[in-house]
Amino acid sequence: MSVIQDTIARVRQLDVEQIEFQQAVTEVLETLEPTAERHPEFVKAGIYERIVEPERAVQFRVPWVDDKGRVHVNRGFRVQFNNAIGPFKGGLRFHPSVNMSIIKFLGFEQVFKNALTTLPMGGGKGGSDFDPKGKSDHEIMRFCQAFMSELYRHIGPETDVPAGDIGVGAREIGYLYGYYKKIRNEHTGVLTGKGLEYGGSLIRPEATGYGTVYFAAEMLATRGLDFKDKVVAVSGSGNVAQFAVEKATQMGARVITVCDSSASIVDEKGISPEKCCFIMDLKNNRRGRIKEYAQKYDCVCYEGENVWDVIRQQGIKVDIALPCATQNELNAENAAALVRNGCFCVAEGANMPSTPDAVRAFQESNILYGPGKAANAGGVATSGLEMSQNSLKMSWTREEVDKRLLIIMKSIHKACLESAEAYGKKGDYVVGANTAGFVKVARAMLAYGIV
Ligand code: NDP
């Protein structure tokens, strides 16, 4: 057996119940066979075996008290996966589905994604199985404080710099940062996604969604295409989805779908800038459900349905798909239906939203397929820019940060294409992203010796 197959088998044996982690490891390592052939020094130094083991994985108790005085206990996690090229960096997710497998899959993906951004950031991820839905502001604040009362021991501006992810937005980052500042008595760039008043960066909220659209635009340009007049399907209605809708619309597309975990809406007229503002207010301020959009704008709402199921069942034709909700939201059946109905470009705003079979369906049909670790890297890249501004004690303008984001997304796209070609898989963005990210991290690990 090759070192790659050996390593996959070992992860499956040791991390038996970590299904999502096994999926991510398999997806990445299977594309790395040619790197092992070309770099026997990586094999000799045990890089493949080492890269699938986190430097450190912490699990902790998070006790907190609700508004009625009842005590709750949640689990907190921080997985510091790899810091070969810079401090650990990656978001915090608050969602009931969070467990060690999900956090390890996200941390593992983050290692390669961060390497692609051109910035010096290692990979990590964290979170809790806490469900922010239906909680009061005070409950959210108390939970964030309880979470930080343990997390603070493990993080630091030169050690590990968390950010937001599902369920962790501006409000939560504010509470987390406020508590860190209080107990450490220091004002440093230990979290990104901060508010502008206390060290945040312009464009950070927009960055993942905008970056996904910039990446898709680069992919489209390789075939002489663009967003103008294209019909676009977006899933999710959170941070990434909102700004993917906004940017795709600015580029002339007609975005016809969004969803949350309880319903999907289809608006054939398109989600105009005004309607997009409604979604932002609904989700970020009023914390309401997406079915309110259908009531306000008189369009179809499919309760309990996922966007990709609706598109398949209703035979809806879309040109471009931007999955921006969560992992494994888009299965093979729905991928086949998208392709059959003429979809020619998929760019993943979410992490690992397409199941392995769905990825295969996209790749076999030869449509443009941009995996999350490349397409959604704009978020963490702009977090890197926030860290730079914090270190410099400066703030760049909106135009400056957006310009840098665009340059980074173009350079990620170029690196993917170049690396894919170098490894004999021209135009394959999965091979390109995995090999380019991996080789950079592997070279750094090699330089350190066995540590
Ligand atoms: P948010 O919490 O802001 O939004 C998540 C959205 O997805 C919500 O609309 C949520 O609905 C919906 N959703 C979650 N689970 C499901 C489900 N099972 N079915 C349908 N809809 C669902 O998170 P983000 O927008 O920040 O993150 C979305 C994705 O992008 C994640 O995969 C994340 O890891 C990835 N990502 C995020 C980055 C960032 O900068 N924020 C950076 C890179 C990647 P509901 O409100 O009902 O829960």
Side-chain angles (χ1 to χ4, degrees):
M1 262 209 303
S2 71
V3 64
I4 299 285
Q5 291 308 325
D6 265 348
T7 308
I8 294 174
R10 192 176 137 80
V11 167
R12 288 186 177 160
Q13 187 197 349
L14 290 179
D15 300 318
V16 182
E17 286 167 11
Q18 297 181 356
I19 304 299
E20 294 83 2
F21 179 56
Q22 290 179 20
Q23 182 183 335
V25 167
T26 307
E27 186 266 321
V28 171
L29 288 199
E30 281 186 340
T31 63
L32 297 182
E33 289 280 6
T35 64
E37 283 158 26
R38 196 169 298 179
H39 295 281
E41 69 280 17
F42 291 168
V43 179
K44 191 161 170 240
I47 300 287
Y48 298 90
E49 293 91 334
R50 283 196 277 152
I51 210 158
V52 298
E53 285 296 332
E55 299 269 347
R56 187 171 299 106
V58 191
Q59 182 181 320
F60 50 95
R61 179 175 68 208
V62 190
W64 60 281
V65 181
D66 70 17
D67 289 345
K68 295 201 169 95
R70 283 182 305 233
V71 177
H72 298 261
V73 182
N74 285 96
R75 285 188 169 172
F77 302 88
R78 186 70 185 166
V79 172
Q80 298 181 329
F81 221 106
N82 190 303
N83 64 353
I85 64 167
F88 302 107
K89 178 93 198 85
L92 297 172
R93 175 177 292 191
F94 291 169
H95 192 272
S97 64
V98 164
N99 56 32
M100 192 53 99
S101 172
I102 301 240
I103 298 299
K104 277 178 69 181
F105 119 63
L106 290 164
F108 182 70
E109 289 277 298
Q110 197 81 45
V111 174
F112 306 98
K113 181 192 306 193
N114 292 5
L116 284 172
T117 63
T118 70
L119 303 174
M121 298 181 291
K125 201 83 186 187
S128 173
D129 57 1
F130 172 74
D131 186 358
K133 272 198 210 82
K135 304 290 188 302
S136 70
D137 269 358
H138 277 110
E139 288 171 332
I140 299 283
M141 181 183 74
R142 284 197 295 276
F143 176 80
C144 288
Q145 293 177 344
F147 184 82
M148 185 53 87
S149 72
E150 172 61 30
L151 185 70
Y152 85 96
R153 291 174 221 288
H154 310 288
I155 61 176
E158 305 299 334
T159 311
D160 183 353
V161 184
D165 189 75
I166 291 180
V168 179
R171 173 182 59 168
E172 290 74 19
I173 294 288
Y175 292 145
L176 290 163
Y177 188 72
Y179 204 64
Y180 179 89
K181 186 174 71 60
K182 181 178 173 69
I183 56 184
R184 289 298 282 258
N185 194 25
E186 62 179 39
H187 203 302
T188 48
V190 71
L191 291 172
T192 58
K194 300 187 290 299
L196 290 178
E197 307 76 13
Y198 58 94
S201 173
L202 287 158
I203 299 288
R204 176 60 190 91
E206 292 88 340
T208 311
Y210 278 19
T212 302
V213 173
Y214 291 154
F215 191 88
E218 289 298 301
M219 292 200 298
L220 289 167
T222 63
R223 297 192 182 174
L225 298 165
D226 59 28
F227 269 96
K228 189 142 182 27
D229 299 325
K230 304 300 182 302
V231 179
V232 176
V234 170
S235 62
S237 51
N239 173 262
V240 180
Q242 291 166 13
F243 290 103
V245 171
E246 182 173 277
K247 185 52 76 178
T249 307
Q250 279 171 12
M251 288 191 171
R254 179 161 55 96
V255 182
I256 60 164
T257 63
V258 281
C259 73
D260 61 21
S261 55
S262 42
S264 298
I265 64 101
V266 179
D267 183 350
E268 289 288 355
K269 293 194 204 87
I271 302 173
S272 62
E274 179 213 331
K275 293 173 179 175
C276 190
C277 285
F278 173 84
I279 296 173
M280 290 177 182
D281 180 50
L282 175 72
K283 288 291 171 184
N284 307 346
N285 302 326
R286 293 192 287 122
R287 304 192 186 270
R289 308 310 293 157
I290 203 64
K291 70 175 176 205
E292 285 185 44
Y293 178 104
Q295 286 152 3
K296 179 155 173 81
Y297 295 110
D298 192 24
C299 66
V300 200
C301 177
Y302 298 88
E303 293 215 33
E305 302 275 358
N306 155 317
V307 159
W308 313 112
D309 285 337
V310 170
I311 287 177
R312 174 177 51 79
Q313 285 158 6
Q314 303 299 319
I316 297 168
K317 206 177 137 17
V318 303
D319 300 315
I320 298 166
L322 306 176
C324 297
T326 193
Q327 67 272 359
N328 293 327
E329 57 170 293
L330 204 172
N331 64 23
E333 202 185 350
N334 292 339
L338 278 170
V339 172
R340 205 168 44 243
N341 285 329
C343 175
F344 47 76
C345 177
V346 178
E348 296 181 339
N351 284 312
M352 210 168 75
S354 310
T355 62
D357 288 351
V359 174
R360 219 162 292 128
F362 292 140
Q363 291 193 305
E364 282 167 5
S365 65
N366 204 27
I367 69 166
L368 295 163
Y369 168 68
K373 73 170 72 62
N376 71 35
V380 72
T382 308
S383 278
L385 300 179
E386 183 174 331
M387 289 163 75
S388 305
Q389 293 169 80
N390 291 163
S391 300
L392 294 167
K393 308 252 185 276
M394 281 179 66
S395 303
W396 295 330
T397 62
R398 192 179 162 82
E399 291 70 31
E400 174 71 25
V401 183
D402 197 22
K403 194 173 83 187
R404 286 176 191 255
L405 169 63
L406 179 59
I407 291 170
I408 289 172
M409 295 316 296
K410 282 176 184 265
S411 92
I412 294 173
H413 178 265
K414 186 162 170 274
C416 289
L417 283 188
E418 285 174 358
S419 197
E421 189 160 5
Y423 285 101
K425 290 276 188 178
K426 195 169 174 195
D428 185 329
Y429 289 93
V430 176
V431 169
N434 289 344
T435 52
F438 169 76
V439 169
K440 181 171 177 183
V441 176
R443 287 200 170 121
M445 289 172 73
L446 199 63
Y448 299 138
I450 310 298
V451 286

